Amino acid sequence: MTIAAVVISKDEEKNIADCLESLRWADELIVVDAESRDRTVELAKQYTPKVFVRPWPGYGPQKNFGIDQAAAEWILVVDADERVTVGLRREIETLLATAPAADIGGYEIPRRNFFYGKWIQGGGLYPDYQLRLFRNTAGRYDDVKLHENFTLSGRRERLQEPFDHYSMPTVNHHIRKMMRYTTLGADEKLKRVTHISGWVIATHHLGTILKTLFSRGGYRDGVHGLVVAMFAGLHTFVKYAKAWERVNVRRDA
């Protein structure tokens, strides 16, 4: 069975080469770039002729466009800051060589998230299963601004070997990413609620810190785990604060 790897990108010149290098084994390699202003496209073209540059329509639609360019029977979706480990490659190749059962639509893959150079095992960040390997005909992503979901037709199973995800290499990178994601998160929150109170902001902020640090075992990662927990709480606080501002703060023209 054939497999196509689909990667979406935007200003990922620091990541794209390592990502695509870990995917050379795929039958097809497809990159969909959202008009990067750096060398992402130039670097991607060194690995595959199937590099498509188009305006950003959202995470789900961009991934769906990439999937639609593939002729392979199976799709593996990989983010630019992720790497397919040798173990994961071998597990996927073995799986497809033996032909999965016809009722299986896709597979969830565990993910090792690295923050500031360390693999974070607590805080709810591992195994962090992601539905990323699926039949080309098994479904498509929805169109939400953040944390898009794949609507799968068929049964799902889980693989054992992980992706490596270098999501937060530095604190500065984490801050920039948080500011972008909290805006998208506020947009999605206001689709479901029309009122944000101070109590909601405070309890969700503190609750996220405590849950990440203690209930989900973030303390086991030491200072790294503490910083991750504090950022998780800050992310929740900023998201709710942005949503509150849009509903309650009058802006003069």
Side-chain angles (χ1 to χ4, degrees):
M1 292 185 170
T2 55
I3 184 170
V6 174
V7 180
I8 64 170
S9 62
K10 170 70 174 180
D11 297 332
E12 291 283 1
E13 66 178 4
K14 293 182 179 180
N15 279 313
I16 196 67
D18 287 342
C19 174
L20 298 181
E21 186 67 35
S22 76
L23 291 166
R24 279 187 178 273
W25 53 276
D27 298 295
E28 294 179 77
L29 190 48
I30 297 165
V31 177
V32 185
D33 184 81
E35 302 177 316
S36 289
R37 295 162 295 180
D38 60 10
R39 298 178 59 236
T40 300
V41 172
E42 174 189 344
L43 294 170
K45 287 182 177 178
Q46 296 177 16
Y47 289 87
T48 175
K50 294 185 177 182
V51 179
F52 303 88
V53 180
R54 65 198 300 264
W56 178 250
Y59 288 99
Q62 196 80 323
K63 290 179 179 180
N64 288 339
F65 176 85
I67 295 169
D68 290 342
Q69 311 314 306
E73 300 161 273
W74 285 81
I75 304 293
L76 177 65
V77 173
V78 183
D79 290 342
D81 58 0
E82 294 174 337
R83 314 287 179 262
V84 172
T85 60
V86 173
L88 178 56
R89 169 189 173 175
R90 289 173 178 167
E91 186 174 11
I92 292 173
E93 289 179 327
T94 300
L95 176 75
L96 298 186
T98 56
D103 66 330
I104 296 178
Y107 292 86
E108 295 179 348
I109 301 173
R111 187 167 67 169
R112 295 190 296 204
N113 292 287
F114 289 79
F115 283 64
Y116 332 125
K118 179 179 179 178
W119 170 26
I120 304 299
Q121 300 182 55
L125 290 174
Y126 188 79
D128 189 26
Y129 284 104
Q130 304 288 316
L131 179 61
R132 297 292 194 79
L133 177 64
F134 44 82
R135 297 182 191 273
N136 197 329
T137 56
R140 291 295 184 268
Y141 287 95
D142 60 13
D143 186 11
V144 297
K145 291 190 175 183
L146 187 63
H147 302 314
E148 69 284 357
N149 296 300
F150 189 87
T151 303
L152 181 71
S153 175
R155 183 162 58 90
R156 67 178 66 193
E157 295 284 350
R158 285 180 170 176
L159 300 185
Q160 299 297 315
E161 296 293 333
F163 285 119
D164 282 343
H165 183 209
Y166 298 96
S167 58
M168 306 296 178
T170 66
V171 170
N172 282 338
H173 182 91
H174 198 161
I175 292 171
R176 292 195 303 271
K177 199 168 185 177
M178 180 189 71
M179 295 309 295
R180 184 171 73 252
Y181 280 13
T182 51
T183 297
L184 298 175
D187 291 341
E188 289 300 319
K189 179 60 64 177
L190 289 175
K191 290 180 180 179
R192 301 187 295 274
V193 301
T194 58
H195 175 70
I196 304 289
S197 68
W199 176 252
V200 167
I201 295 173
T203 55
H204 280 79
H205 168 57
L206 294 174
T208 299
I209 294 174
L210 295 175
K211 181 169 60 177
T212 304
L213 196 57
F214 297 109
S215 299
R216 295 178 175 174
Y219 66 89
R220 293 194 296 266
D221 291 298
V223 177
H224 279 75
L226 174 64
V227 174
V228 169
M230 297 302 290
F231 261 114
L234 183 60
H235 183 110
T236 299
F237 169 77
V238 173
K239 178 182 70 176
Y240 276 91
K242 286 180 177 180
W244 167 84
E245 180 184 45
R246 294 183 192 180
V247 173
N248 296 282
V249 178
R250 177 174 175 269
R251 296 180 181 275
D252 295 327

